Amino acid sequence: MKKILAVLALVFTCLWSTAFAADFSHLVIMHTNDTHGYDQRADGVNGMVTVAALKKDYEAKGYQVLLVDAGDAIQDNNLVNFSKGKTAIDFMNAVGYDAMTLGNHEFDYGSDVTMARIKQAKFPVVSANIIVESTGKSFTPKTHAIIKKGSLKIGVFGLTTPSTITTANPKSTRGLTFLSKEAMYKAAQKEVDALKAAGCDLIVGIGHLGSEPDAAGDRSNDVLENVKGIDVFIDGHDHTVKNLYVNGTLLTETGAHLANIGVVQYKDGKWQEDLHAYGRFNKEDAQVKAMVDKAQADIDKQLSTPLGTTSVELNGSRDPGVRTEETNLGDFIADAYLWQVRQATVLDHVTIDGAVMNGGSIRAGIKAGTITQADILRALPYHNYLQYVTLKGSTLLEILEAATCTTPTALGAFPQVAGIEYTIDTTKPFVKGELYPHSVYYQPAKPGTRVTIKNVGGKAFDPNATYNIAVPDFLTSGGDSYYSMQDPSKVTVHDVDYLAADAVRNYLKELGGTVGSQYAAPQSRITIIK
């Protein structure tokens, strides 16, 4: 009898769940990520006008639309940089976003600006793994949100890459802990469980995590392998296109710069992605267009000033490019830093031997022809100041070894240099030492295993010699893998007070306003053995 009752109970439960299962047939999940201020429609860029028009198009057809963003919306393109991201949030408010999570570049203007952008948004900005150390509470006012679309209750929570502590300027994240690996999984599971308990029909994770190998343990796929109950996970950070299933959960990402708009729908018993690449849908929302175009016109007026010319194209590509190898733009900018710091210290009778910058701070190339103010700020959008550091050759070797730990795999830390020649032997593995404090990078156990330095300042390298090296303050704050730069037992930091972009402008003027054939190709400062 008990068996019969159990079977009847199971049948009733199945019939009940079938009869009252949520109907997702009229729900569309639209998503963007890593827009980086590329909000005006242009060749290859959908822009916010198309996001708004596509949303309205689905709504006109009777669909409920959930629109979310997976971070890095407020920084990079000059359209949003001048307002410290305010214009980006204005555009997103006008389009009608429902939620977003924080990317690492949401912290580029400082955490106070991050909080101002959160308060400005007319939609919840959620992240469950950023903790204020002094209070133990979440940095974002909300870690999740419950959004109603028709009869559906949709639970949305966010996660931000733990690498933010090094990929954003560390000054901007002091006092914050970014939960990582198991602690992040636990926080995510807590969010899912809370949303389930609140009766949500659907759980959507929006993460700025990515799937790069060097972030093992902190990637979106790691989360999905360790957290149960997520139906759809919208990813960002690594600028790739994703459309796969991990433990039955759809993991998707659009790439970057609004080249695609994500459109997820429930079909044939599962959530499926249908990316809308540029050119597939060409309508534009008139209200948003007027808003974006006015903002762009104001910026263009400020940035159209010609500063000089270049007879060669300057390569600012990411991979292969400034994150994997020496490029002519890397050489040019590093030379500008070295020249500017030498000019600034000439009366102090200080010899500046070389310059080091992280390739990840170069965000765009410069085409042959006229160089405008916009070109410089597009290549170097960060508000970094120049400094110089005094250190031993052995510390410089440690720094270069750590910053090339993944080469030939792309890494933002990759050192573009001036006044320095070095070799990376990628046939030898990077040997990890201790994890640097407040970092996701490891101290090299044996500096010199992969990297050898030929010369510095025109002289043969000596690990016991003392050198003065020009750097941007992002490095002396411990950005990327450069923790050693903020270790006072190894490095002494000296202020110069020139903006990095100003140094490039001044150096261009020193060259007579023309980047010539000397920068036609990389200058053999970095040798990579593959």
Side-chain angles (χ1 to χ4, degrees):
M1 187 64 180
K2 288 182 178 179
K3 288 183 178 181
I4 294 173
L5 290 174
V7 170
L8 289 172
L10 179 61
V11 170
F12 176 79
T13 299
C14 292
L15 290 172
W16 183 89
S17 61
T18 300
F20 294 96
D23 180 10
F24 299 122
S25 61
H26 286 84
L27 177 68
V28 170
I29 303 172
M30 287 179 57
H31 60 97
T32 57
N33 63 275
D34 297 274
T35 56
H36 284 289
Y38 284 78
D39 293 334
Q40 186 179 49
R41 186 173 173 86
D43 188 26
V45 178
N46 278 294
M48 284 294 165
V49 293
T50 310
V51 176
L54 183 60
K55 178 175 182 286
K56 288 183 177 179
D57 190 71
Y58 275 112
E59 289 171 340
K61 293 174 181 176
Y63 287 97
Q64 297 288 335
V65 179
L66 176 76
L67 176 57
V68 299
D69 183 84
D72 277 7
I74 71 170
Q75 180 280 336
D76 196 355
N77 194 296
N78 290 324
L79 175 59
V80 302
N81 284 347
F82 275 49
S83 67
K84 296 184 177 180
K86 180 180 182 300
T87 47
I89 300 299
D90 284 340
F91 301 153
M92 295 175 76
N93 284 338
V95 171
Y97 274 77
D98 292 297
M100 75 172 287
T101 194
L102 294 174
N104 52 306
H105 289 296
E106 260 71 58
F107 288 89
D108 280 346
Y109 310 110
S111 59
D112 55 337
V113 176
T114 311
M115 188 54 67
R117 298 290 82 84
I118 291 172
K119 291 178 180 178
Q120 178 194 349
K122 295 179 180 178
F123 48 85
V125 179
V126 293
S127 186
N129 68 315
I130 309 176
I131 307 300
V132 179
E133 293 171 359
S134 61
T135 64
K137 295 182 179 179
S138 170
F139 173 75
T140 55
K142 292 184 177 182
T143 56
H144 67 246
I146 296 175
I147 300 166
K148 291 186 178 181
K149 294 292 177 180
S151 62
L152 297 173
K153 289 177 67 176
I154 303 170
V156 177
F157 74 96
L159 296 172
T160 302
T161 175
S163 71
T164 301
I165 55 175
T166 55
T167 53
N169 193 315
K171 293 178 183 177
S172 301
T173 58
R174 283 176 184 159
L176 299 178
T177 293
F178 290 76
L179 300 179
S180 174
K181 298 181 174 64
E182 286 76 14
M184 179 169 64
Y185 311 152
K186 184 177 179 181
Q189 190 66 66
K190 181 180 178 182
E191 298 301 312
V192 173
D193 293 345
L195 292 168
K196 291 278 189 184
C200 289
D201 303 295
L202 177 70
I203 308 296
V204 177
I206 44 176
H208 194 82
L209 299 177
S211 298
E212 294 179 343
D214 64 297
D218 290 330
R219 302 167 299 185
S220 51
N221 42 303
D222 297 317
V223 169
L224 295 180
E225 288 169 358
N226 289 276
V227 178
K228 308 300 180 186
I230 303 172
D231 296 295
V232 177
F233 196 92
I234 310 296
D235 200 17
H237 185 49
D238 55 356
H239 292 201
T240 61
V241 172
K242 295 192 189 84
N243 182 9
L244 68 155
Y245 295 90
V246 180
N247 282 344
T249 299
L250 174 64
L251 171 59
T252 182
E253 181 180 348
T254 70
H257 300 167
L258 281 173
N260 299 294
I261 302 170
V263 176
V264 174
Q265 291 180 274
Y266 194 74
K267 296 179 179 179
D268 300 324
K270 62 181 180 180
W271 294 99
Q272 299 185 42
E273 177 65 89
D274 181 20
L275 286 181
H276 281 50
Y278 171 79
R280 175 175 170 181
F281 182 86
N282 295 309
K283 293 181 183 178
E284 299 181 6
D285 181 271
Q287 180 183 354
V288 175
K289 179 177 172 57
M291 186 179 189
V292 174
D293 287 354
K294 182 181 183 304
Q296 186 66 63
D298 292 342
I299 296 299
D300 289 344
K301 188 175 181 179
Q302 298 178 61
L303 298 180
S304 59
T305 306
L307 302 176
T309 61
T310 174
S311 61
V312 298
E313 182 170 351
L314 298 170
N315 179 16
S317 299
R318 291 164 61 103
D319 178 17
V322 293
R323 297 175 181 233
T324 61
E325 62 192 8
E326 178 185 357
T327 77
N328 60 348
L329 182 56
D331 288 348
F332 173 67
I333 294 175
D335 283 348
Y337 290 2
L338 178 56
W339 174 85
Q340 186 67 83
V341 176
R342 281 177 172 171
Q343 296 300 306
T345 58
V346 66
L347 296 178
D348 299 326
H349 305 291
V350 174
T351 299
I352 307 299
D353 301 289
V356 175
M357 67 173 299
N358 59 310
S361 67
I362 301 174
R363 307 300 289 190
I366 300 175
K367 294 180 179 179
T370 301
I371 300 175
T372 65
Q373 177 90 310
D375 293 320
I376 300 298
L377 292 179
R378 195 175 295 117
L380 293 172
Y382 303 118
H383 200 74
N384 289 329
Y385 281 90
L386 294 185
Q387 298 175 315
Y388 74 91
V389 293
T390 302
L391 43 66
K392 291 287 188 184
S394 55
T395 300
L396 179 61
L397 182 62
E398 176 192 337
I399 287 166
L400 296 184
E401 184 97 14
T404 57
C405 61
T406 67
T407 307
T409 300
L411 188 67
F414 186 88
Q416 302 288 334
V417 297
I420 299 170
E421 293 183 26
Y422 71 95
T423 298
I424 313 164
D425 187 348
T426 65
T427 66
K428 297 176 181 177
F430 176 75
V431 183
K432 292 181 180 178
E434 296 291 323
L435 184 70
Y436 282 128
H438 305 292
S439 179
V440 296
Y441 294 97
Y442 290 85
Q443 179 179 359
K446 298 178 180 179
T449 301
R450 281 164 54 94
V451 172
T452 54
I453 303 175
K454 182 180 179 181
N455 59 60
V456 180
K459 298 179 181 179
F461 174 70
D462 180 354
N464 296 311
T466 298
Y467 298 107
N468 294 309
I469 306 295
V471 295
D473 63 356
F474 175 72
L475 304 193
T476 58
S477 298
D480 280 341
S481 64
Y482 291 86
Y483 175 81
S484 296
M485 288 272 192
Q486 65 171 357
D487 184 345
S489 69
K490 295 180 177 181
V491 173
T492 303
V493 179
H494 312 267
D495 289 329
V496 176
D497 292 331
Y498 275 90
L499 277 170
D502 286 342
V504 173
R505 294 186 196 98
N506 295 339
Y507 182 58
L508 178 58
K509 189 180 296 183
E510 173 70 11
L511 295 177
T514 300
V515 179
S517 59
Q518 74 269 39
Y519 291 105
Q523 298 176 11
S524 300
R525 302 172 185 182
I526 305 170
T527 301
I528 300 177
I529 300 172
K530 298 182 179 179

